Amino acid sequence: VASGYHNLPEITKEKFQPSFLDENKTLFRTGDLGKQTAPGVIEFIGRRDNQVKVNGYRIDPEEIEYQLNRHPQIERAIVLPSHVNNQTQLSAYCQTSKEIEVSEIREFLGNFLPAYMIPSYFIFLKEFPLTSHGKLDLHSLIELEETGKSTQVNYVAPRNNLELKLVSIWEKILPKPPIGIFDNFFEVGGHSLLLSRVVTHVHKELNVSVKLADFFKVPTVAGLAALVSKTQFDYQEPIPVIPLQKSYPMSHGQRR
């Protein structure tokens, strides 16, 4: 499958281990738990780690925590799943005594992780809550989530035709209209999957191809408008509609 995780030596050492069947081969520890119910039949019964499925992607929060802990101003980080509008999202809790902008953390993580692995919410604390036994109090962390999800921004209406079109696109996709031009995409219900949909709509309606990574760095309508205005025009040829038929020829992939 692979020889290891890119630039993650500690996780590589943990997950890729010598095979107990053949010392010259390597086994990848998937984290799946199962039991053999019959020869050649293994029943899946769960997982031994904290992997979660977010927007169709299976994610190990420890990989995100590892990168967050590399940030020079973050002392410790915990990433937990949260449920927003019946969808699973990720929340990052960061212990730090410094004032850090969320945009800076997102940009930092974007250098090491794909967009779908970057948490939707960031909560900063000077100290993590502990139980009476001195252990990390995860329940108290989750209770802090609602107060740390977003920063209130005064509504500012679109100032020109481009911003008006972009607001219209956002409001088709996001669950929280009206959208102001300085509202942060991730703080008004957006996540990586919806981010991809915005980029697709921008390409289709404005004929401009915006890179997902660039949009991630400026997740506001005003920022996206500035990005669109300096991006080269890229006309997208519409797919023609074919007449209604009883049957249609299969594509090469369908015939395989």
Side-chain angles (χ1 to χ4, degrees), residues 118-174:
I118 297 179
S120 297
Y121 307 112
F122 291 84
I123 298 91
F124 300 101
L125 307 93
K126 291 185 177 180
E127 290 185 358
F128 280 153
L130 302 176
T131 66
S132 57
H133 300 290
K135 296 182 179 179
L136 182 65
D137 189 345
L138 294 178
H139 181 72
S140 294
L141 275 183
I142 295 172
E143 288 182 343
L144 293 171
E145 187 178 334
E146 288 298 326
T147 61
K149 273 186 179 179
S150 63
T151 303
Q152 294 296 322
V153 176
N154 292 329
Y155 173 78
V156 179
R159 301 166 296 186
N160 52 52
N161 190 46
L162 175 56
E163 290 181 348
L164 188 63
K165 290 180 179 178
L166 291 174
V167 165
S168 176
I169 290 172
W170 281 37
E171 290 184 345
K172 291 176 185 176
I173 295 169
L174 293 173

Side-chain angles (χ1 to χ4, degrees), residues 25-251:
K25 294 184 178 180
T26 300
L27 289 180
F28 173 65
R29 300 180 68 88
T30 64
D32 292 334
L33 295 175
K35 62 180 181 180
Q36 185 169 326
T37 56
V41 179
I42 298 176
E43 179 185 348
F44 176 74
I45 59 175
R47 293 193 57 80
R48 63 183 299 274
D49 57 21
N50 297 318
Q51 277 196 4
V52 293
K53 199 168 186 179
V54 179
N55 302 324
Y57 296 97
R58 188 164 291 282
I59 297 172
D60 186 349
E62 291 183 4
E63 295 182 40
I64 306 170
E65 293 171 1
Y66 174 82
Q67 298 298 348
L68 283 169
N69 286 321
R70 294 178 62 199
H71 191 283
Q73 294 180 317
I74 294 178
E75 301 165 22
R76 186 183 179 189
I78 299 291
V79 176
L80 299 173
S82 58
H83 300 282
V84 181
N85 298 323
N86 296 320
Q87 292 185 326
T88 301
Q89 300 299 324
L90 295 174
S91 295
Y93 303 84
C94 305
Q95 181 174 310
T96 177
S97 58
K98 309 292 184 181
E99 293 290 334
I100 311 175
E101 293 291 333
V102 171
S103 57
E104 177 192 340
I105 300 299
R106 284 201 174 102
E107 185 173 352
F108 173 81
L109 290 177
N111 294 323
F112 309 102
L113 300 172
Y116 64 83
M117 289 186 68
I118 297 179
S120 297
Y121 307 112
F122 291 84
I123 298 91
F124 300 101
L125 307 93
K126 291 185 177 180
E127 290 185 358
F128 280 153
L130 302 176
T131 66
S132 57
H133 300 290
K135 296 182 179 179
L136 182 65
D137 189 345
L138 294 178
H139 181 72
S140 294
L141 275 183
I142 295 172
E143 288 182 343
L144 293 171
E145 187 178 334
E146 288 298 326
T147 61
K149 273 186 179 179
S150 63
T151 303
Q152 294 296 322
V153 176
N154 292 329
Y155 173 78
V156 179
R159 301 166 296 186
N160 52 52
N161 190 46
L162 175 56
E163 290 181 348
L164 188 63
K165 290 180 179 178
L166 291 174
V167 165
S168 176
I169 290 172
W170 281 37
E171 290 184 345
K172 291 176 185 176
I173 295 169
L174 293 173
K176 188 184 176 183
I179 302 295
I181 63 170
F182 295 117
D183 287 341
N184 187 294
F185 183 81
F186 300 101
E187 294 179 355
V188 290
H191 51 72
S192 58
L193 191 63
L194 296 181
L195 195 77
S196 300
R197 289 180 58 189
V198 169
V199 169
T200 300
H201 275 272
V202 167
H203 193 191
K204 182 179 180 180
E205 298 181 29
L206 304 180
N207 293 310
V208 175
S209 181
V210 175
K211 292 182 180 178
L212 200 63
D214 291 338
F215 182 19
F216 214 93
K217 296 175 182 178
V218 287
T220 65
V221 167
L224 182 58
L227 195 60
V228 168
S229 63
K230 63 182 181 182
T231 303
Q232 187 174 358
F233 182 79
D234 181 24
Y235 177 68
Q236 185 180 37
E237 186 73 33
I239 300 174
V241 178
I242 62 175
L244 185 63
Q245 302 171 198
K246 290 185 177 180
S247 62
Y248 301 90
M250 292 188 296
S251 67

